[in-house]
Amino acid sequence: MKTYGTYFQNDKELPVKYGEINLINPERQRLRGEPLHKGIAAYPVFQGFCGTDYELMKMGREGKLNAKFPQGENRLINGHEGVVWVPDVNRFAIVLIRGGDSFDPTRYTEDETYFEYGCDGADGLFCDKNYFNPDMLLHLPEKYEGMKKLPLSVAKRLSFADPYACAVFQLERMEDLGEAQNFRVEMAKRKCTEAEARAIAKNSIFEKTVVFGLGMTGLFIADQIRRNHPDANIIFVGRSEETSKKVVFSKEITGADYLCTANLSEEETAEKLTEMLGGRATMFIGTSGTDVEHRVAFEHKLLGCNGIYNSFSLGPKVQYDTMPFGFENHLIFASINFRQSHMEKAIEILVDSRFDEVVELIDKDEFIGNPLYAYENKIYCKGAPLKTGVIWNKKYIDEEN
């Protein structure tokens, strides 16, 4: 079976290409112990562009994609954020991206394996047709069952199912670790039971929260914190003007404050944030993708005693001085991905959200005409929209709603 779509390859001059592709359909499993299934056909309808796509493209330019290709192939159909139409069951679906021979795909161990549609070992969504494990085609809320055309506003929102599911998982991890990190401190301070102290610590870890970097990842994590911990003090950190569309929208959605660091040194950034928070941070979430994160948190002492550093950026090295690190009882963790339950929760939240407001469209013909140019000059460039999406199959989209 052949299809048309975009795919990554190891090529210095042309790491992403649009053209005819030979589809494969190997048996895959959702979780360890579950049966292997051939994929069933689905038609991608609407896709969002993710920073991971851009990083994979750069890896292709450097000739480093071999480990990401499906077995026996020398290319990877990209795309992991979007909505598909499944003709066998006449419904729209969100593809559960991560599966494999593992008990929990968020916490796989050395003897387990995984795959990710559009990212690692399995072809993704930027094509006219593909095959997906039937166990991994998640339902939309009931009111969308039976629809033949999906409102464009809903399709835009659902393009965030993957990153928002990551944010749901991040909240779970921060709560679990915050509770374990500080419940004994709360027991000693408040002379309360362990159960009471754990509940207090689970909430108080967000008392002074910094989200360093303002993209969709940081916005979604902050949104999850605000929904579940309404009294949290949250500050976004970025280089955009406070009047920019994405800053205004992010503050409005989350009720957070914002610090523009465009004219501040790292030391001044730490000092200003400490002042705005009313003390050193209890939770530091690094999403900027720069080495500035760890220096502000540790070298310039923004992260307070018993605080947690959530390293969510891919790329930066995290360094710290072991003397203050040990005595101030800091905790660093890094954990990415999500379980099916996280994505199902994300879908429920997103369909009634306002996140479609930040998605701007690129015309499909413009994109496939020169995908490399589109990535570098339209989608991931200075002044690019907060999120870019593309209608891949207009037959299934109601563009008026």
Side-chain angles (χ1 to χ4, degrees):
M1 175 66 70
K2 294 184 181 296
T3 191
Y4 281 87
T6 61
Y7 56 92
F8 295 133
Q9 59 184 0
N10 283 323
D11 189 306
K12 185 176 180 180
E13 302 300 325
L14 197 63
V16 60
K17 183 179 180 180
Y18 176 80
E20 189 177 52
I21 315 161
N22 184 53
L23 285 178
I24 60 174
N25 189 14
E27 292 185 329
R28 302 186 190 279
Q29 64 188 134
R30 181 179 59 171
L31 294 172
R32 176 167 283 198
E34 293 188 355
L36 290 159
H37 291 300
K38 286 273 191 180
I40 63 173
Y43 302 130
V45 172
F46 186 94
Q47 289 96 281
F49 296 87
C50 174
T52 300
D53 299 335
Y54 190 50
E55 293 302 317
L56 288 169
M57 188 191 79
K58 290 191 290 185
M59 288 174 65
R61 178 165 272 156
E62 297 169 358
K64 297 179 179 179
L65 276 181
N66 287 343
K68 300 292 186 181
F69 294 144
Q71 188 173 0
E73 302 297 319
N74 61 0
R75 88 293 175 278
L76 172 70
I77 300 173
N78 60 302
H80 57 280
E81 299 182 354
V83 186
V84 301
W85 172 260
V86 189
D88 284 3
V89 289
N90 290 309
R91 68 175 177 88
F92 293 102
I94 300 295
V95 180
L96 177 62
I97 296 303
R98 190 177 175 92
D101 186 18
S102 58
F103 291 111
D104 182 345
T106 67
R107 306 284 295 282
Y108 69 94
T109 61
E110 292 82 357
D111 68 336
E112 297 178 338
T113 60
Y114 70 91
F115 68 87
E116 292 181 326
Y117 286 116
C119 296
D120 199 334
D123 288 326
L125 302 179
F126 274 99
C127 54
D128 296 341
K129 180 180 180 180
N130 206 346
Y131 297 98
F132 303 99
N133 183 320
D135 294 338
M136 299 175 69
L137 293 168
L138 305 185
H139 285 263
L140 274 59
E142 187 174 355
K143 63 183 176 181
Y144 297 101
E145 295 288 342
M147 277 191 176
K148 302 301 185 200
K149 281 180 172 282
L150 191 65
L152 177 58
S153 60
V154 176
K156 287 181 175 181
R157 296 167 196 162
L158 289 172
S159 69
F160 292 119
D162 180 287
Y164 201 95
C166 284
V168 177
F169 176 49
Q170 288 302 299
L171 179 73
E172 177 184 281
R173 292 289 284 154
M174 289 186 289
E175 289 179 338
D176 288 351
L177 294 171
E179 176 183 321
Q181 170 82 339
N182 287 328
F183 80 89
R184 295 191 184 280
V185 175
E186 298 293 354
M187 280 179 67
K189 184 195 310 183
R190 301 172 186 275
K191 311 300 182 189
C192 60
T193 66
E194 180 176 329
E196 291 170 329
R198 284 183 175 275
I200 293 168
K202 184 176 180 178
N203 185 63
S204 64
I205 195 65
F206 301 107
E207 184 179 328
K208 299 180 179 70
T209 297
V210 171
V211 180
F212 205 95
L214 185 53
M216 295 310 301
T217 298
L219 171 57
F220 290 155
I221 294 175
D223 186 57
Q224 269 294 287
I225 293 172
R226 177 64 70 211
R227 287 171 181 268
N228 292 276
H229 301 274
D231 295 328
N233 184 4
I234 305 170
I235 300 179
F236 287 117
V237 181
R239 298 183 62 80
S240 301
E241 292 290 335
E242 189 154 3
T243 54
S244 70
K245 180 179 177 180
K246 72 176 184 179
V247 173
V248 171
F249 181 81
S250 299
K251 289 174 61 179
E252 189 175 314
I253 290 293
T254 64
D257 291 322
Y258 177 73
L259 176 65
C260 174
T261 62
N263 298 310
L264 299 177
S265 67
E266 293 173 6
E267 182 178 11
E268 290 169 334
T269 296
E271 290 175 351
K272 184 64 176 176
L273 286 168
T274 301
E275 178 185 335
M276 292 173 69
L277 289 167
R280 294 166 70 189
T282 56
M283 175 66 71
F284 184 103
I285 304 164
T287 68
S288 74
T290 69
D291 288 340
V292 174
E293 295 174 354
H294 75 85
R295 291 196 294 268
V296 169
F298 297 114
E299 183 179 333
H300 299 292
K301 298 186 177 300
L302 175 60
L303 187 62
C305 291
N306 306 311
I308 293 180
Y309 185 101
N310 180 350
S311 179
F312 198 79
S313 293
L314 291 176
K317 288 182 170 62
V318 176
Q319 298 174 320
Y320 54 87
D321 184 337
T322 57
M323 181 68 80
F325 177 79
F327 278 95
E328 294 190 349
N329 197 39
H330 289 147
L331 172 65
I332 299 175
F333 85 93
S335 198
I336 297 175
N337 292 307
F338 50 82
R339 294 189 298 277
Q340 180 172 331
S341 60
H342 297 134
M343 184 169 263
E344 289 170 338
K345 185 172 184 179
I347 291 168
E348 291 179 5
I349 292 171
L350 288 169
V351 293
D352 294 319
S353 74
R354 291 177 49 199
F355 290 120
D356 58 295
E357 295 177 26
V358 298
V359 182
E360 297 186 22
L361 299 180
I362 185 170
D363 182 75
K364 180 185 176 183
D365 289 336
E366 178 184 4
F367 172 61
I368 65 178
N370 192 336
L372 179 60
Y373 179 87
Y375 271 115
E376 294 184 329
N377 297 283
K378 295 281 188 176
I379 302 166
Y380 299 105
C381 63
K382 187 175 181 180
L386 193 55
K387 184 71 170 182
T388 301
V390 59
I391 301 174
W392 198 264
N393 193 325
K394 291 191 175 185
K395 175 182 176 181
Y396 298 102
I397 292 290
D398 177 0
E399 297 184 55
E400 302 300 318
N401 292 290

